[in-house]
Amino acid sequence: MKCTEVPGSLKQIDAGAGLVVGVNAEDGIFALFGKSWTRLPGSLSHVSVGPSGMWGANSGHLIFKLVGGTWVTVPGQLNQVDAGGDQFVVGVNHVDKVYCMERDYAVDFRSSGSPAPWSQLPGVLVYYSCGPIGCWGVNKNQDIYMREGVGPTECQGITDWQHIQGKLVMVEVGTDGSVYGVNAGGDVYQRDGVTECDPAGISWTLLSECGKSKHVSYDLGHLWVISPDDKIQDCVV
């Protein structure tokens, strides 16, 4: 793995569907085009991009989707949102409740009058992320869980939570199913052996080349790493 520092400063980053977006310490929103960050309109504390489009949440827990270059308010409240599933959207709110919106509603949401039914999942999490073969999350005790059978019309999944060994403060699933996470000490880990036959994988591998981190995201062979002091690294996997 080769890591290169990217100019700029972000507190959170998300990569998906060939795009890279993030927010800085002042909740400014940015998208990477070539080697330059372009400021997008609006203010968000968390942003995500993936097959269902670009979504975000602000410091007041309001939810937004980017439609035609404009952020449209989505009914509900979340403080972390993830658009990496198969055109469905998931997230957690400020009291750790977990929600998802199925594909048809997520993709077709275009205005404040569009239907936006959120389905609540059992359990409590502080971070939740989905990919094509499963969803992963962590709770406030840093326990790790994954959920199988999650899909465009079954965003709640068809299995119970499976407890995964280890401790993480955040976990991200790439649009190809790759799973990466960060622990309380800032160490970055990759989940090995994740396949359609074994969505939970086998074990965790420490990626020491990344240094210390507070947030990561992966897409198309690039692991994006945010350091504790908001520096950005692009690590080619």
Side-chain angles (χ1 to χ4, degrees), residues 133 146 148 162 192-202:
I133 56 175
M146 71 88 56
E148 298 180 43
Q162 179 178 345
D192 298 320
V194 176
T195 65
E196 288 190 20
C197 296
D198 187 7
I202 301 170

Side-chain angles (χ1 to χ4, degrees), residues 120-203:
Q120 185 178 349
L121 281 68
V124 289
L125 297 173
V126 296
Y127 205 98
Y128 191 45
S129 180
C130 288
I133 56 175
C135 295
W136 292 65
V138 296
N139 64 16
K140 62 182 179 182
N141 297 321
Q142 303 169 29
D143 299 316
I144 311 165
Y145 294 91
M146 71 88 56
R147 199 170 183 87
E148 298 180 43
V150 179
T153 58
E154 289 280 355
C155 68
Q156 296 183 70
I158 57 175
T159 63
D160 293 330
W161 294 107
Q162 179 178 345
H163 181 238
I164 305 295
Q165 59 86 22
K167 292 281 188 177
L168 295 174
V169 295
M170 64 86 57
V171 62
E172 275 282 340
V173 187
T175 48
D176 66 349
S178 301
V179 179
Y180 295 86
V182 179
N183 69 8
D187 298 315
V188 181
Y189 288 86
Q190 178 180 8
R191 188 67 175 175
D192 298 320
V194 176
T195 65
E196 288 190 20
C197 296
D198 187 7
I202 301 170
S203 60

Side-chain angles (χ1 to χ4, degrees), residues 212-233:
K212 296 299 182 179
S213 170
K214 65 179 180 180
H215 205 279
V216 296
S217 187
Y218 173 85
D219 186 45
L220 298 177
H222 292 258
L223 179 64
W224 299 88
V225 180
I226 303 298
S227 70
D229 57 356
D230 291 357
K231 292 182 179 178
I232 309 162
Q233 286 194 95

